[in-house]
Amino acid sequence: ARAMASWGVFTALAGFEYDGPKHHMGFTPRVTPDDFRAAFTASEGWGSFAQTRTPDVQREQIEVRWGQVKLDSLAFSLPVQWGSVDVLVKADGQDVKTKTEHSQTTGRIVTRLDSTVTLSPGQKLEVEYRRH
């Protein structure tokens, strides 16, 4: 029980959200959001997540280390003071078409991929949000 209790704290600090059937993953780091790294587990695989932030750019990276991870949507938090943003998504180096919903009130941004992306070991999904 203690091990599971500490895992709950870990996922809460990462702001990790995951819904396997909907192929949805999100992170809202509660500590050091300008330079954050954490492991994650999904229904069919696991890997690492990294977020870096400068005054005008936020980058997210999801890398699968084992198994596979299917993604249709992603959710992150941007600084509330950021207005509109440009979004660039790449899966294993290839551009991915997206639709994005950004709430300037809460800073939450949800990016929906036009088609399901399946990441295998060693593959990365990279997202860049660039402030206007």
Side-chain angles (χ1 to χ4, degrees), residues 72 87-91 94-100 111-117:
D72 284 328
V87 181
L88 175 64
V89 178
K90 291 187 178 240
Q94 302 297 311
D95 289 345
V96 176
K97 292 183 181 181
T98 64
K99 297 177 192 116
T100 299
T111 301
R112 299 188 192 290
L113 311 179
D114 279 359
S115 59
T116 301
V117 169

Side-chain angles (χ1 to χ4, degrees), residues 3-19:
M4 293 308 292
S6 39
W7 183 253
V9 171
F10 176 77
T11 58
L13 288 173
F16 179 62
E17 59 187 75
Y18 177 71
D19 187 326

Side-chain angles (χ1 to χ4, degrees), residues 3-128:
M4 293 308 292
S6 39
W7 183 253
V9 171
F10 176 77
T11 58
L13 288 173
F16 179 62
E17 59 187 75
Y18 177 71
D19 187 326
K22 291 183 179 178
H23 304 149
H24 171 82
M25 185 179 288
F27 291 88
T28 305
R30 309 277 194 257
V31 292
T32 63
D34 293 344
D35 188 13
F36 182 83
R37 296 187 189 324
F40 70 85
T41 58
S43 59
E44 297 179 315
W46 58 269
S48 64
F49 167 75
Q51 174 177 291
T52 57
R53 183 187 293 161
T54 65
D56 295 319
V57 177
Q58 181 168 305
R59 290 184 177 89
E60 323 290 349
Q61 180 178 301
I62 296 169
E63 181 177 2
V64 174
R65 303 284 175 100
W66 183 87
Q68 68 177 6
V69 175
K70 295 179 182 179
L71 296 169
D72 284 328
S73 64
L74 305 157
F76 303 104
S77 288
L78 298 175
V80 175
Q81 67 272 21
W82 284 21
S84 58
V85 293
D86 291 325
V87 181
L88 175 64
V89 178
K90 291 187 178 240
D92 205 28
Q94 302 297 311
D95 289 345
V96 176
K97 292 183 181 181
T98 64
K99 297 177 192 116
T100 299
E101 303 159 13
H102 179 206
S103 167
Q104 288 180 269
T105 307
T106 64
R108 182 173 168 84
I109 190 160
V110 177
T111 301
R112 299 188 192 290
L113 311 179
D114 279 359
S115 59
T116 301
V117 169
T118 302
L119 300 172
S120 298
Q123 293 183 320
K124 298 176 186 174
L125 182 89
E126 298 169 302
V127 184
E128 179 179 282

